[in-house]
Amino acid sequence: MALLGDLKSYCEFLSQSQTQIEYQGELCSIEYVVLASKLPGVFNLGGDIELFLRSSLTQDRSDLLDYARACIDVIYACYSAFNLPVTTISLVQGDALGGGFETALSCDIIVAERSSRFGFPEIKFGMFPGMGAYSLLYRRIGLRCAEELITSGKIYTAGEMLDKGLIHFIVEDGDGETGISELIDSRKRRRNSLNAIGKTRRRVQQIEYAELLEIVEIWVDCALNLTEHNLDMMRRLVSRQDGIKFS
């Protein structure tokens, strides 16, 4: 929740900036917003499974709902480009799993390093990605492919995601930031038209906040109906997640 609070504050800062930020004593225009991670090998490991486990055991609907709403607040802010005329980019360097994959999908463009991995493992412990995955995937690749991704539990390579049309560019490992700079440079002369196309795409594929909120309610009900087998699987995933974060 602390991380989600920081991310929401950042989103609000951007929304209120009117595309102007101070840098080295000068006002500069924001044209692109890039989401990335400084942790090697991990873009985002997804949701707080320990919280899911605890809330499921205590049947605490309120905590789950607060958490889920905090998640979609950030997802929706990214999806709507913070109500600014900017292009949003996810730079994936490592694993983007569950809610981490949802976060990446909320941006206009996804650039991934070659060894990056993507997937929704939630099905393995009786859940589903409820913070925007279905809405975002359905609008990008259609219902059948969206459900295949969500229900398979499979971890996909960057190449497989490129073939499915879910990521836009692959760069070699270690070249992510350089690749972003080159992408931005290549768009300079077309920026006005490409920005308008992005805005048009968001209008044609429009996702309302209310849609995400209704799906979150379904997700919470699902979390409160897990079996003991599901909970055991979640306990193992908590150990693995903590081991990656603190190793």
Side-chain angles (χ1 to χ4, degrees), residues 16 18 30 32 41 60 73 76 80-81 112 141 144 166 183 223 236 241-242 247:
Q16 295 164 9
Q18 298 183 343
I30 304 171
Y32 294 87
D60 193 333
D73 283 347
Y76 193 75
S80 58
I141 58 175
R144 185 180 67 83
L166 284 174
L183 173 63
R236 290 196 289 272
Q241 204 175 52
D242 286 345
S247 62

Side-chain angles (χ1 to χ4, degrees), residues 14 23 49 84 86 97 119 134 155 165 170 179 207 218 229 242 245:
L14 288 172
Y23 177 68
I49 299 177
L84 299 174
V86 301
L97 305 177
Y134 202 116
I155 304 300
I170 294 178
I207 300 173
I218 299 171
H229 173 74
D242 286 345
K245 284 190 289 187

